[in-house]
Amino acid sequence: MRQMQSKSKVRTTLSMLLASTGLSIAMPALAQDAADEDSDVIVVTAQKREQNLQDVPIAINAIGNEKLDQLQVSELQDVVKFLPSVTIQQGGPGFAQVYFRGVASGENANHSASLPTVGTYLDEMPITTIQGALDLHAYDLARVEALAGPQGTLYGASSMAGTLKLVTNAPDPSGFYGSAGVEINNVAHGDFGAIYEGFLNVPISEGAAARLVGWYRDDGGYIDNIFGARTYASSGITQNNAALVEKNYNDAETYGARLALGIDLDDNWTIKPTVMGQVQNTEGSYSQERSGQTTDELQTVQYNPEGSRDKWIQAALTIEGKIGNWDLTLAGGHLRRKTETESDYSDYAYFYDALAGYGNYFYDNAGNLVNPNQYIQGIDRYKKTFGELRIASPADAPLRFIGGLFYQRQSHNIEQNYIIDNIADAITVTGTASNIWLTKQLRVDRDYAAFGEMTYDITDKLSLTGGLRYYKFDNSLQGFFGFSSGYSSRTGEAACLNTDGTTRRANPAGTPVPILVAGSPCTNVDKSTSDTGFIHKLNATYKFSDDALVYATWSRGFRPGGINRRGTLPPYGSDKLDNYELGWKTTFGAFRWNGAVYQEDWNNIQLSFLGANGLTEIRNAGIARIRGVEMDVGYRAGGFSINAGMSYNDAEIRRDFCRIANATFDCTLPGPAGEVNALLAPAGSRLPVTAKFKGNAVARYEFPISDWDGHVQFAVNHIGSRRSDLRPAQNAIKGNLGAYTTVDFSFGIKKDQWDIEAFATNLFDERGIVNTGVQCLETVCGTGVTPATPTGGAFYDTIIKPRVIGIKFSRDF
């Protein structure tokens, strides 16, 4: 997809904006940092109260404003490097799945599949969508908080494995100040990029202020789309990609803004409205190809345009006040997101044709064979509305309570067009130009909850906490998916529903049910599922002193069930995670040591896989156990500081995973309707995606250079090997994801309000793989369909960004 906005126009506009302020560059004012440099105190809101991180009895990592800048963080994958308990899997910007502590079964993030296991919050509002977290540009953030383990009582659905909170800097009525900055960088083997950022904090009146933030980021490409040609075996038709050959194929631009107000109505009541939006345009593929068509790394062969346009806007309002000496918070918000995507699907067409003469099925209105080349054009529209009413008793009382009511409704209007140009009307999905397949569905997920936590100080040192959340979910899926009736006599239009419960195939003369989703030729899915339940949390905390505590927690998280779009399959139920954790937090002068050991039992796992006709199926399949340890340490003396973190997770399934689960876990037993069962993964199989070991360390030294302040910093990150798939057969085809280590370096000087820094990330140019996929039919993957394609498929590895070298200039004012 070619970019829909001129980069030069955006650059010009931002340059004029920066020039009009008389500035050149900068990062946020240090007054807005989440950490006090002298005391290293970080204030977090993990338990929906402001607390010193060292006093919060949960496993939490927090990275403040200034540290985010020092670590060269500009997007979600950058910050995840420094969160030991967190793993990210992505196929490109805007399409990331986040995991905590190895709680992943290999979800394919299909639009009709399971919700994520991790909740993502922007200030008070949940912003998780089915395709994953918003890829927010990380600028003017007060901090990022990573809450490991189930956060179900306070954060609810889809915070089953953990919660990631992005907290923005609030408007400050104390004075007028701001910042502007620019970065120029170059990616190894690729193109140049740039970042322009700025914010203004403007007092409006006593007790009222506005904060305006803007950013533009241009990421240079590094994947080359090289020339390729292929001939379809059944028809002899040849295609090539000469028109799409391009170096540095995968460039991207991101731009957005935030306007926040803070208004003190009186000494007790404050309102905080915020509007924020972002547009992200990408071109090309972010994966290097493993096939006989490529000859080097950082190459791919794509026969159709690829790219995306992801735009979203969020409006939120928080009202805070007091009723007596109790705190009341009312938060609400609305998010709209639209993603437009173009994807090459020609590999699937090619291997399908090699197997079954696929190309002979596609002809034009004159009966002549057409090129079976296939591509996908998608439009996904999301809407999310939420509201939360929360009350909290005084934080210094020996008996403390926090609780409230929560509501959320999120909808996903799904449109996926699988296109083969010039096919006959008879095999085209009704109402489309040249679709061989259409998905046009509306998915709605609704959540309701009442929650509360109560803490009682038994002594000055010992506290007990109990939490409970009662929930209800009500989820539905309506619309159409499949082929035309002229192409398939069993699925798609042939399976559309009649008012008497029959299908068009069984009763062509029946009365069709109404079209429920505009743009559908008819309706072949109309299902809903709902359930109620509760989850709990129990915690005991013992403080040896103000600088040392230990805690023990038993907590539970859950993920709502949903709909299988294949009509013959039942809905899938909720899965739950029980967490048994023992942790500690200690500070000894300049030294900090925090850690936790835990066991997590994952029950009734929502396992997704490709079933018949390549359709995603979700089954509740057995249990898994994760045993692990997390630690982070820090030391500061004078100008020297070092921080390190690590996690170790031993995550495996405890019972055989059957295609159709049953009480005895016997995969030889047929399904309830006589369906053929199969063993997907035997007991003892390691869960995919997350490495057993992940660790990082950051060392920084600050020193004077004449009348400037200088610094040098090294950061190292290591991720161990990972399985690509839970199922042994599929993992053998795609292969494990290898371990990799990256090193980052920076050197800079600062004087008064000026800051200059040179940096290099991934200094030694590692090719770390974060995701892998294959386009083929499962029945032919790896079997050698033709001599020219010995792998029987085209494999794609999404890699970390190669070495980036850059320089940043900044100025506060």
Side-chain angles (χ1 to χ4, degrees), residues 446-469:
R446 308 168 187 85
D447 299 287
Y448 314 84
F451 63 92
E453 285 192 3
M454 185 173 291
T455 301
Y456 179 60
D457 297 334
I458 297 176
T459 69
D460 291 342
K461 296 181 180 295
L462 178 63
S463 301
L464 296 180
T465 298
L468 193 70
R469 188 181 189 98

Side-chain angles (χ1 to χ4, degrees), residues 758-782:
F759 67 90
T761 59
N762 192 7
L763 182 62
F764 299 110
D765 202 22
E766 283 284 311
R767 293 287 180 272
I769 300 174
V770 297
N771 197 5
T772 190
V774 58
Q775 274 197 33
C776 67
L777 296 180
E778 290 201 356
T779 53
V780 302
C781 275

Side-chain angles (χ1 to χ4, degrees), residues 133-461:
L134 298 181
D135 196 4
L136 171 67
H137 177 67
Y139 177 67
D140 198 44
L141 295 179
R143 63 190 175 275
V144 175
E145 300 178 16
L147 289 58
Q151 306 298 322
T153 51
L154 291 181
Y155 293 94
S158 290
S159 283
M160 180 178 75
T163 301
L164 196 65
K165 294 188 65 175
L166 311 175
V167 183
T168 61
N169 281 315
D172 177 11
S174 67
F176 175 87
Y177 58 89
S179 170
V182 65
E183 171 188 315
I184 304 298
N185 59 62
N186 176 257
V187 59
H189 321 285
D191 213 341
F192 283 88
I195 300 176
Y196 306 88
E197 303 166 320
F199 83 87
L200 289 174
N201 187 90
V202 182
I204 300 173
S205 63
E206 184 178 356
R211 195 176 187 96
L212 178 62
V213 185
W215 59 90
Y216 174 82
R217 190 174 87 228
D218 180 10
D219 293 319
Y222 48 88
I223 300 288
D224 298 338
N225 191 29
I226 65 173
F227 179 80
R230 58 173 36 144
T231 299
Y232 289 89
S234 63
S235 63
I237 293 174
T238 298
Q239 70 175 148
N240 65 60
N241 68 340
L244 298 175
V245 170
E246 182 180 349
K247 288 185 66 64
N248 308 326
Y249 182 51
N250 60 322
D251 58 348
E253 67 169 359
T254 305
Y255 53 92
R258 173 169 62 92
L259 174 62
L261 300 176
I263 304 170
D264 295 332
L265 300 179
D266 56 28
D267 291 340
N268 293 324
W269 290 89
T270 300
I271 61 173
K272 300 176 181 178
T274 303
V275 178
M276 187 174 188
Q278 180 176 281
V279 177
Q280 187 172 65
N281 296 318
T282 73
E283 295 181 359
S285 168
Y286 283 76
S287 300
Q288 62 184 22
E289 187 171 340
R290 278 187 282 145
S291 74
Q293 299 185 96
T294 56
T295 58
D296 204 353
E297 295 179 328
L298 305 179
Q299 290 182 345
T300 189
V301 181
Q302 299 299 295
Y303 292 87
N304 296 286
E306 292 206 305
S308 66
R309 179 177 174 85
D310 183 5
K311 60 181 181 180
W312 55 266
I313 186 167
Q314 179 227 25
L317 175 66
T318 301
I319 302 173
E320 299 175 323
K322 285 187 176 292
I323 299 178
N325 62 351
W326 285 57
D327 295 323
L328 182 144
T329 302
L330 177 63
H334 184 73
L335 169 71
R336 293 198 174 202
R337 181 185 188 189
K338 179 182 179 182
T339 62
E340 300 172 77
T341 56
E342 288 188 328
S343 306
D344 184 13
Y345 209 47
S346 61
D347 295 326
Y348 178 84
Y350 178 69
F351 290 109
Y352 204 146
D353 178 67
L355 175 71
Y358 177 72
N360 288 330
Y361 293 103
F362 302 118
Y363 50 88
D364 59 21
N365 285 328
N368 300 314
L369 291 177
V370 299
N371 186 347
N373 169 62
Q374 191 171 158
Y375 57 96
I376 307 169
Q377 293 181 343
I379 303 176
D380 293 272
R381 298 176 175 89
Y382 305 88
K383 295 180 183 178
K384 180 190 284 277
T385 301
F386 105 104
E388 182 172 295
L389 174 64
R390 192 168 70 240
I391 58 171
S393 64
D396 56 356
L399 180 63
R400 300 178 294 280
F401 173 80
I402 184 169
L405 302 173
F406 176 86
Y407 164 75
Q408 176 179 266
R409 182 186 190 276
Q410 51 183 334
S411 65
H412 182 186
N413 191 310
I414 307 158
E415 180 178 332
Q416 297 288 313
N417 300 283
Y418 291 69
I419 301 170
I420 300 176
D421 290 331
N422 305 315
I423 57 174
D425 296 341
I427 58 175
T428 298
V429 176
T430 302
T432 68
S434 198
N435 275 32
I436 190 63
W437 175 284
L438 171 68
T439 299
K440 193 73 175 88
Q441 298 172 334
L442 178 64
R443 173 177 180 165
V444 180
D445 295 79
R446 308 168 187 85
D447 299 287
Y448 314 84
F451 63 92
E453 285 192 3
M454 185 173 291
T455 301
Y456 179 60
D457 297 334
I458 297 176
T459 69
D460 291 342
K461 296 181 180 295

